[in-house]
Amino acid sequence: MPRYYFDYRDDASLWTDDSGEELPNLEAAEKAALVALADAARDMALAGRQGSLSIQDRDESGILLQGAMFLKTAANHRVVAVDAERRSLP
């Protein structure tokens, strides 16, 4: 079975996967990368952190895919509440 490596990067650090994971094919590696990225984003949000987060999936030949996301919470934005009954419609 092929071995795939998943490296993470955020705004401050890079974590290189030195051990990898044996998966049956590239499709399984893509799914594993997306799940790992979502899990890392959840952990980042729960820790109250914001910014960019990316993962790259590679094998012995090089990078196979990259995924990235940017996390910005509403707590850092001014939210304006609108009362539907007070809105004037044309």
Side-chain angles (χ1 to χ4, degrees):
M1 234 187 291
R3 183 168 292 275
Y4 298 92
Y5 302 86
F6 302 93
D7 303 327
Y8 296 87
R9 179 184 305 271
D10 66 11
D11 292 331
S13 302
L14 169 67
W15 296 272
T16 303
D17 179 2
D18 295 324
S19 57
E21 183 178 347
E22 286 186 352
L23 295 166
N25 53 40
L26 181 57
E27 183 179 345
E30 289 174 353
K31 289 178 183 177
L34 291 174
V35 168
L37 184 60
D39 287 345
R42 182 197 64 232
D43 293 344
M44 189 173 164
L46 291 173
R49 294 178 38 233
Q50 300 182 76
S52 63
L53 181 63
S54 65
I55 189 169
Q56 66 181 26
D57 180 8
R58 59 184 169 85
D59 66 6
E60 310 81 39
S61 66
I63 297 171
L64 302 170
L65 66 94
Q66 293 181 349
M69 60 188 314
F70 187 81
L71 183 63
K72 186 116 179 135
T73 62
N76 291 341
H77 295 284
R78 183 174 162 216
V79 178
V80 178
V82 177
D83 183 347
E85 293 178 355
R86 293 175 42 198
R87 280 189 282 167
S88 60
L89 299 175

